[in-house]
Amino acid sequence: MRVHSQAVNKKNDKDKTDKECFGCLHRYPKNAAGLSCLADHFLCDQGGCATHFVNQLFGDQPLGLFDLTPGSFGIKCATCRALYNMPDIEARLTTPELQKQFAELIALYGGAVEGCVPISCLSCKETYYMLDGEIDVLLQCSFQSCGKYSCLLCKQVVAPNAQRSLLTHVSGDDCCSAMWPRYQLVMRALENGGTRTCPGCGLRGRKNLNCTHITCARCKIEWCYMCSRKADDCDKAPGTATLMGHQVDWPTNPLRCPMYLNELSSVDQSFDWNSAAALDEFHRSITLALLQRVCTGDAADSSAVLYANHPAVFQGFTLDQIGEFTMPTVLERALATRTGNE
């Protein structure tokens, strides 16, 4: 079929301005109506390919074509995995049931998807969005032309028929499969220590200023960067209703927080009055405290095995640093809303 299309191109130069529908393989004028991804792969409206694709997509929900990026919902091209414009997709939903399903997906994935992370095949770069607790150390790519395994810990690519190589990843106390649970906990501690999470919608990020008052760019709620509580939930001085009341008497009241992180230097000299340095020290301390939770005590042996095989995972922290760290008392309020391995 594609050979025929190439023959037409050779015969008729005007076809250089045409485009081919990858559904029915017919050629259409460049301005023909249809559905095009961001890489210009085209599905026609005239032959019904675009509408058929969209309705089949929502009917069967093959998740390989759904972009479930936290905070964003998209649909990927079946040919190249580039994204479509969502209004073009919505315009081709033919029944109220499908329109409702589309709206529900937008509502669900348009906000934060707690614990949902992108995982890419190390061979073909196809990306999957998976719940954190459901990720195995060996990811087998489901893309038809690939099918290879990616080890998400040692970053090796293994062919599906290489049984001996696959066994080395799942056999033994120091194999990747055995180290994987501890690796996940360490990575989660590093991520949570280096960022803060909006208590309203779950949007994660890091400020570039040391003011603790923050308004979420997504859900627009105001919250405290230090204790991670919504402004409405923060303890405040009597007669006050805004975050300004949350900073009153903070050095002596463990339920209150300073307006600027560099003010911590007034009660703990380990903090620098320089605002950038204070912000860095704040996140470093939170990170070490969270790493200490998942790398010491009963976890010491498995952490030692992980560190011996993959020290770079710890991003410059040593096990001695983690074990000997003492959390500044003034920062305990910053961990009060984080329990377990959050």
Coordinates of all heavy atoms in Angstrom, one line a residue, residues 236-268:
K236 N -2.5 30.1 64.4 CA -2.2 31.6 64.3 C -2.5 32.2 65.6 O -3.2 31.7 66.5 CB -3.2 32.2 63.3 CG -3.1 31.5 61.9 CD -4.1 32.2 60.9 CE -4.2 31.4 59.6 NZ -4.9 30.1 59.8
A237 N -1.9 33.4 65.8 CA -2.1 34.2 67.0 C -3.6 34.6 67.0 O -4.3 34.8 66.0 CB -1.2 35.5 66.9
P238 N -4.2 34.7 68.2 CA -5.6 35.1 68.4 C -5.8 36.4 67.7 O -5.0 37.4 67.7 CB -5.7 35.2 69.9 CG -4.7 34.3 70.5 CD -3.5 34.4 69.5
G239 N -7.0 36.5 67.0 CA -7.4 37.7 66.4 C -6.8 37.9 65.0 O -7.0 38.9 64.3
T240 N -6.0 36.9 64.5 CA -5.5 37.0 63.1 C -6.1 35.9 62.3 O -6.4 34.8 62.8 CB -3.9 36.8 63.1 OG1 -3.6 35.5 63.7 CG2 -3.3 37.9 64.0
A241 N -6.1 36.2 61.0 CA -6.8 35.2 60.1 C -5.9 34.8 58.9 O -6.2 33.9 58.1 CB -8.1 35.8 59.5
T242 N -4.8 35.5 58.7 CA -3.9 35.2 57.6 C -2.6 34.5 58.1 O -2.3 34.4 59.3 CB -3.5 36.5 56.8 OG1 -2.7 37.3 57.7 CG2 -4.8 37.3 56.5
L243 N -1.7 34.2 57.1 CA -0.4 33.5 57.5 C 0.5 34.5 58.3 O 1.4 34.0 58.9 CB 0.3 33.1 56.2 CG -0.1 31.7 55.7 CD1 0.7 31.4 54.4 CD2 0.2 30.6 56.8
M244 N 0.2 35.8 58.2 CA 1.0 36.7 59.1 C 0.8 36.3 60.5 O 1.8 36.5 61.3 CB 0.5 38.1 58.8 CG 0.7 38.6 57.4 SD 2.5 38.6 56.9 CE 3.1 39.9 57.9
G245 N -0.3 35.8 60.9 CA -0.5 35.4 62.3 C 0.2 34.1 62.7 O 0.4 33.8 63.8
H246 N 0.6 33.4 61.6 CA 1.3 32.1 61.8 C 2.7 32.3 62.2 O 3.3 31.4 62.8 CB 1.2 31.3 60.5 CG 1.8 29.9 60.6 ND1 1.4 29.0 61.6 CD2 2.7 29.3 59.8 CE1 2.1 27.9 61.4 NE2 2.9 28.0 60.4
Q247 N 3.2 33.5 62.0 CA 4.7 33.8 62.3 C 4.8 34.4 63.7 O 6.0 34.5 64.2 CB 5.3 34.7 61.3 CG 4.8 36.1 61.3 CD 5.3 36.9 60.2 OE1 5.0 36.6 59.0 NE2 6.1 38.0 60.5
V248 N 3.7 34.8 64.3 CA 3.8 35.4 65.6 C 4.4 34.4 66.7 O 3.9 33.3 66.8 CB 2.5 36.0 66.1 CG1 2.5 36.6 67.5 CG2 2.0 37.0 65.1
D249 N 5.4 34.8 67.4 CA 6.0 34.0 68.5 C 6.5 32.7 68.0 O 6.6 31.7 68.8 CB 5.0 33.8 69.6 CG 4.6 35.1 70.3 OD1 5.4 36.1 70.4 OD2 3.4 35.2 70.8
W250 N 7.0 32.6 66.8 CA 7.4 31.3 66.3 C 8.6 30.7 67.0 O 8.7 29.5 67.1 CB 7.7 31.3 64.8 CG 8.9 32.1 64.4 CD1 9.0 33.4 64.0 CD2 10.2 31.6 64.3 NE1 10.3 33.8 63.8 CE2 11.1 32.7 64.0 CE3 10.8 30.4 64.6 CZ2 12.5 32.5 63.8 CZ3 12.2 30.2 64.5 CH2 13.0 31.3 64.1
P251 N 9.6 31.5 67.5 CA 10.7 30.9 68.2 C 10.3 30.1 69.4 O 11.0 29.2 69.8 CB 11.6 32.1 68.6 CG 11.2 33.2 67.6 CD 9.7 33.0 67.4
T252 N 9.2 30.5 70.1 CA 8.8 29.8 71.3 C 7.6 28.9 71.1 O 7.2 28.2 72.0 CB 8.6 30.8 72.4 OG1 7.6 31.8 72.0 CG2 9.8 31.6 72.8
N253 N 6.9 29.0 70.0 CA 5.7 28.2 69.8 C 6.0 27.2 68.6 O 6.1 27.6 67.5 CB 4.5 29.2 69.4 CG 3.2 28.4 69.3 OD1 3.2 27.2 69.1 ND2 2.1 29.1 69.5
P254 N 6.1 25.9 68.9 CA 6.5 24.9 67.9 C 5.4 24.7 66.8 O 5.6 24.0 65.9 CB 6.7 23.7 68.7 CG 5.9 23.9 70.0 CD 5.9 25.3 70.3
L255 N 4.2 25.4 67.0 CA 3.1 25.2 66.0 C 3.2 26.4 65.0 O 2.4 26.4 64.1 CB 1.8 25.2 66.7 CG 1.5 24.1 67.7 CD1 0.1 24.2 68.3 CD2 1.6 22.7 67.0
R256 N 4.1 27.3 65.2 CA 4.2 28.5 64.3 C 5.5 28.4 63.5 O 6.4 27.6 63.9 CB 4.2 29.8 65.2 CG 3.1 29.9 66.2 CD 1.9 30.6 65.6 NE 0.8 30.6 66.5 CZ 0.6 31.5 67.5 NH1 1.5 32.4 67.7 NH2 -0.4 31.4 68.3
C257 N 5.6 29.2 62.5 CA 6.8 29.1 61.6 C 7.2 30.6 61.3 O 6.4 31.5 61.2 CB 6.5 28.4 60.3 SG 6.0 26.7 60.5
P258 N 8.5 30.8 61.0 CA 9.0 32.1 60.6 C 8.5 32.5 59.2 O 8.2 31.6 58.4 CB 10.5 31.9 60.7 CG 10.7 30.5 60.4 CD 9.6 29.8 61.0
M259 N 8.5 33.7 59.0 CA 8.1 34.2 57.6 C 9.2 33.9 56.6 O 9.0 33.7 55.4 CB 7.8 35.7 57.7 CG 7.3 36.2 56.3 SD 6.6 37.9 56.5 CE 6.1 38.2 54.8
Y260 N 10.5 34.0 57.1 CA 11.7 33.7 56.2 C 12.5 32.7 56.8 O 12.8 32.7 58.1 CB 12.5 35.0 56.0 CG 11.7 36.1 55.3 CD1 11.1 37.2 56.1 CD2 11.6 36.1 54.0 CE1 10.4 38.2 55.5 CE2 10.9 37.1 53.3 CZ 10.3 38.2 54.1 OH 9.6 39.2 53.4
L261 N 13.0 31.7 56.0 CA 13.8 30.6 56.5 C 15.1 31.1 57.2 O 15.6 30.5 58.1 CB 14.1 29.6 55.4 CG 12.9 28.8 54.9 CD1 13.3 27.9 53.7 CD2 12.3 27.9 56.0
N262 N 15.7 32.2 56.7 CA 16.9 32.7 57.2 C 16.8 33.2 58.7 O 17.7 33.3 59.4 CB 17.6 33.7 56.4 CG 16.8 35.0 56.2 OD1 15.6 35.0 56.5 ND2 17.4 36.0 55.6
E263 N 15.5 33.4 59.1 CA 15.3 33.8 60.5 C 15.6 32.6 61.4 O 15.7 32.8 62.6 CB 13.8 34.2 60.7 CG 13.5 35.5 60.0 CD 12.0 35.9 60.2 OE1 11.5 35.7 61.3 OE2 11.3 36.3 59.2
L264 N 15.7 31.4 60.9 CA 16.0 30.2 61.7 C 17.4 30.4 62.4 O 17.7 29.9 63.4 CB 16.0 29.0 60.9 CG 14.7 28.5 60.4 CD1 14.8 27.4 59.3 CD2 13.7 28.1 61.5
S265 N 18.3 31.2 61.8 CA 19.6 31.5 62.3 C 19.6 32.2 63.7 O 20.5 32.1 64.4 CB 20.4 32.3 61.3 OG 19.9 33.6 61.1
S266 N 18.4 32.8 64.0 CA 18.3 33.5 65.3 C 18.2 32.5 66.4 O 18.4 32.9 67.6 CB 17.2 34.5 65.3 OG 15.9 33.8 65.1
V267 N 17.8 31.3 66.1 CA 17.6 30.3 67.2 C 18.5 29.1 67.0 O 18.7 28.2 67.9 CB 16.2 29.8 67.3 CG1 15.3 31.0 67.8 CG2 15.7 29.2 66.0
D268 N 19.1 29.0 65.8 CA 20.1 27.8 65.5 C 21.2 28.4 64.6 O 20.9 28.7 63.4 CB 19.3 26.7 64.8 CG 20.1 25.4 64.7 OD1 21.3 25.5 64.4 OD2 19.6 24.3 65.0

